[in-house]
Amino acid sequence: MSIINHIEKYRKLKRTLFTTPSHSQGDFVAPETLKLLGQKFFTCDYSEIEGFDNLSSPIGIIKDAQSAAAEIYGAKSTFFLTNGSTSGIIAAMYALLTKGDKVVIARNCHKSVYNGLVLTGAVPIWLIPDYNSDWGIFESVNTDYLEEILEKNRDVKAFIMTNPTYEGAMSDIYRISSVCRKYNVKLIVDEAHGALWNFNKSLGTPSLIQGADIVVQSLHKTAGALNPSALLHISKESDINPSTIQNSLNLFTTTSPSYPILLNIESTINFLSSARGQAYLHQLSKNINRLLRTLKNIPNLQVYSYNNDITKILIKATNISGFELSEILFGEYGIEDELSNEKSVLLLTGVGTSKAKLKKLEKALVNLCLDNIKIANDSDKKSIDYYPIEPRVRYIPSVLWGKHSKEVDLKYALSRVCMEVIADYPPGAPLLLPGEVIKKEHILYLLNRKKTSIRVLL
Ligand SMILES: Cc1ncc(COP(=O)(O)O)c(C=O)c1O
């Protein structure tokens, strides 16, 4: 029986509990909390009472839920974590490493890996992933570089890396895992930011099916679960004993795990793996791709698109730093990013990112880039001078006849269908005709000619 079904059934029994937690399933909730959250959340919060289970040595509903999840993920074992990926990373390190053991660590790792080093006493050998100075971010792990390190250090026990990076850059885990196997090195992948990959392969390929031994994923980052829910998976191909991991987790995690988080982990996985969930993610990736196509057409704006997970939108603007772009987005548009650096700004999306939210970002960036930023890059400068712009015809004139139009600010005309003839003398040849798509080159040219609005198809 699922955790949710069990709780629903249990509530009907109307048992009288003299146990923790002392809010007695919502009989007491601090007044201000009650006002904000209501009582419902508390009614699902239990401890290890009769009929419930124990996360540190599961034999009942938690064991069933974890086994079902392992089946869905194709893992040997899956552990539910109510203390975030942080706890999974530390526990994996503690299970595999001891004082003095050598461990190769990709330099862009999360601070939990540093904490794991403190606790284990293992000796790090740092591997610097490729660095992209144009964007100010780390990218993939170079497999040859890893092999060089392992060749020189035959006694390395494990390699720990992040995939995808915070900014979505991906590494070739197939190749990395085969190098690790060659040198008998365990591969731990921090996939905190890739929790949707198992349910939508267009976003990325899960490290678990690419040969990693242990994969840790945060379900709260992209997959829509409560903070700080996460998973630790052991691969079917790995010889790591699940009980070693369980014992290690028990050293670092609470003895009072949150049932609201556990039931939310279970139901999030069930939803994402269902046909409805997959359709939902398909729609999400369509919406993000649509936005990215538009953003790529905005003058003075660049979008990071190499080998990356599209749920992480990394942008930069001509002439202003990432920090300044971040400040304008926040101060003028109320849009808060995940992080920014000198070069770029990172906007995280996930299962809960609505079309409306993406639209708001699009509008803000169109507005901001055309209004606040000087036209400075070479290709944009070039488009200020008239030159033949390849027309993109969406509708031929006869189809457009009688269709309605409206005047919009030029800032909002990008990618819309023009509904007027725009030509000037000289040269007289039309810049745009009705039925043609308005491109960023058109907007730059027209803004420079002090035109501020344009008629577009309704
Ligand atoms: C790459 C990476 N790994 C691990 C973590 C820790 O995840 P959690 O918040 O689930 O403990 C984070 C959190 O920001 C992260 O960015």
Side-chain angles (χ1 to χ4, degrees), residues 197-458:
W197 292 1
N198 305 78
F199 310 108
N200 186 308
K201 303 282 188 296
S202 79
L203 300 176
T205 310
S207 303
L208 197 64
I209 63 165
Q210 295 192 72
D213 288 278
I214 289 183
V215 178
V216 181
Q217 300 177 312
S218 295
L219 281 179
H220 60 97
K221 290 191 192 295
T222 51
L226 281 169
N227 263 336
S229 41
L231 300 170
L232 184 153
H233 309 285
I234 306 176
S235 154
K236 276 184 182 156
E237 280 73 45
S238 179
D239 59 5
I240 294 172
N241 189 339
S243 62
T244 319
I245 295 293
Q246 181 73 72
N247 292 339
S248 187
L249 278 169
N250 295 351
L251 287 175
F252 305 109
T253 53
T254 176
T255 53
S256 308
S258 154
Y259 264 95
I261 292 181
L262 289 173
L263 72 83
N264 184 234
I265 290 177
E266 180 188 48
S267 63
T268 299
I269 295 170
N270 287 344
F271 174 73
L272 292 175
S273 59
S274 70
R276 254 181 76 215
Q278 312 234 328
Y280 201 85
L281 292 182
H282 179 68
Q283 189 57 48
L284 174 75
S285 82
K286 255 173 86 175
N287 295 345
I288 297 173
N289 273 315
R290 221 192 108 267
L291 170 75
L292 293 176
R293 277 197 299 277
T294 308
L295 296 190
K296 281 174 193 161
N297 268 319
I298 297 179
N300 298 313
L301 190 78
Q302 280 176 268
V303 184
Y304 180 83
S305 57
Y306 298 103
N307 181 27
N308 66 319
D309 174 337
I310 58 159
T311 60
K312 295 115 187 60
I313 300 173
L314 189 68
I315 53 171
K316 62 178 178 173
T318 313
N319 253 7
I320 57 171
S321 72
F323 296 124
E324 287 167 315
L325 177 59
S326 168
E327 264 174 38
I328 300 173
L329 274 175
F330 187 67
E332 293 183 20
Y333 300 93
I335 293 176
E336 182 162 351
D337 54 65
E338 176 75 10
L339 57 88
S340 55
N341 62 33
E342 182 56 36
K343 300 289 169 65
S344 54
V345 169
L346 176 66
L347 299 132
L348 289 188
T349 69
V351 67
T353 308
S354 64
K355 228 171 160 173
K357 202 161 145 182
L358 295 176
K359 196 74 199 164
K360 180 172 175 183
L361 176 64
E362 177 188 317
K363 276 193 160 179
L365 287 170
V366 168
N367 211 347
L368 184 161
C369 285
L370 294 180
D371 248 10
N372 294 344
I373 302 167
K374 278 194 282 154
I375 294 161
N377 74 33
D378 281 349
S379 68
D380 287 347
K381 263 189 198 149
K382 194 170 149 220
S383 50
I384 294 170
D385 306 323
Y386 179 86
Y387 65 96
I389 298 168
E390 190 72 35
R392 195 187 310 153
V393 179
R394 176 78 52 83
Y395 301 108
I396 57 171
S398 56
V399 174
L400 271 190
W401 188 253
K403 292 263 190 313
H404 296 292
S405 64
K406 69 168 182 179
E407 193 83 6
V408 296
D409 192 307
L410 211 48
K411 285 183 295 200
Y412 302 117
L414 192 69
S415 302
R416 300 199 64 162
V417 174
C418 179
M419 285 295 272
E420 62 178 304
V421 176
I422 300 181
D424 55 12
Y425 284 89
L431 181 76
L432 272 166
L433 287 172
E436 292 176 0
V437 175
I438 301 164
K439 300 180 182 181
K440 79 167 180 180
E441 291 88 345
H442 297 125
I443 294 178
L444 287 171
Y445 177 76
L446 293 171
L447 282 175
N448 200 45
R449 306 286 298 181
K450 306 279 183 276
K451 186 171 167 68
T452 54
S453 63
I454 190 166
R455 190 149 279 282
V456 297
L457 184 63
L458 249 189

Side-chain angles (χ1 to χ4, degrees), residues 54 65 71 74 93 127 176 284 287 325 454:
N54 192 326
E71 190 73 27
M93 289 177 73
L127 178 154
I176 290 169
L284 174 75
N287 295 345
L325 177 59
I454 190 166

Side-chain angles (χ1 to χ4, degrees), residues 83-89 108-113 162-166 190-193 216-221 227-230 338:
N83 296 75
S85 286
T86 299
S87 64
I89 289 166
N108 56 336
C109 64
H110 182 252
K111 69 176 177 192
S112 52
V113 179
T162 308
N163 188 59
T165 64
Y166 215 145
D190 171 356
E191 206 171 85
H193 292 275
V216 181
Q217 300 177 312
S218 295
L219 281 179
H220 60 97
K221 290 191 192 295
N227 263 336
S229 41
E338 176 75 10

Side-chain angles (χ1 to χ4, degrees), residues 1-14 40 43-44 46 52 263:
M1 185 183 301
S2 73
I3 299 173
I4 286 194
N5 287 345
H6 177 81
I7 289 178
E8 278 177 341
K9 235 175 114 184
Y10 184 85
R11 276 162 46 177
K12 290 188 189 128
L13 297 177
K14 300 208 181 312
K40 196 117 196 188
T43 63
C44 301
Y46 291 92
F52 280 62
L263 72 83

